[in-house]
Amino acid sequence: MRIGQGYDIHRLAPGRKLCLGGVIIPNDRGEEGHSDGDVLIHAVIDALLGALALGDIGSHFPPGSPEYRDIDSRILLKKTMELIESRNARIINLDTTVILENPRLAPHVKSICESLSALCGLDINAVSVKAKTKEGRDATGRGEAVEACAVVLIEEGG
Ligand code: MG
């Protein structure tokens, strides 16, 4: 068994889509980024890579690379899953937290869980998405950014 954790933060800007776990959340601002900026998928990718000590998202998908400009982060997660499977490893469970002041994520948590479970080939009961705010504190609390954390348990071999 191996454990991995990931974290990411993106600025929020008008005219961008708010993508979380492969789901587009209706909102007047979304993540800035070289890719679609899906902060939750990026945290999940870093957790997966971290569990197997395979570097980080930037080393696998360089942010300056034209290949990844505005790319759907679901594609990056699928590529990461292929890497995990090529190492004969499988995910046991995935636990995540999104920190976002607005909008409230509660109505979207189920669809985000379903999206991540499909992308990672996991039973829905093995995927957790929790939503927090910063209670109005710091840049994220002022609605200027969105953060995500992920922890994953992986079984090697077998
Ligand atoms: Mg990112």
Side-chain angles (χ1 to χ4, degrees), residues 7-10 32-35 37-43 46 57 73:
Y7 167 81
D8 199 18
I9 180 169
H10 279 250
E32 286 185 334
H34 184 72
S35 66
D38 192 320
V39 71
L40 178 54
I41 285 185
H42 296 180
D46 262 357
I57 187 170
S73 292

Side-chain angles (χ1 to χ4, degrees), residues 106-120:
H108 307 287
V109 162
K110 185 167 179 280
S111 54
I112 296 171
C113 283
E114 287 167 353
S115 173
L116 288 175
S117 76
L119 289 166
C120 296

Side-chain angles (χ1 to χ4, degrees), residues 1-62:
M1 295 286 189
R2 299 182 66 132
I3 194 164
Q5 68 90 27
Y7 167 81
D8 199 18
I9 180 169
H10 279 250
R11 289 184 195 170
L12 292 171
R16 294 280 299 183
K17 287 179 184 163
L18 180 59
C19 305
L20 292 171
V23 175
I24 295 172
I25 311 292
N27 197 41
D28 61 346
R29 336 173 91 202
E31 296 112 327
E32 286 185 334
H34 184 72
S35 66
D36 65 5
D38 192 320
V39 71
L40 178 54
I41 285 185
H42 296 180
V44 169
I45 289 172
D46 262 357
L48 291 166
L49 295 173
L52 296 180
L54 291 173
D56 64 13
I57 187 170
S59 63
H60 288 262
F61 311 109

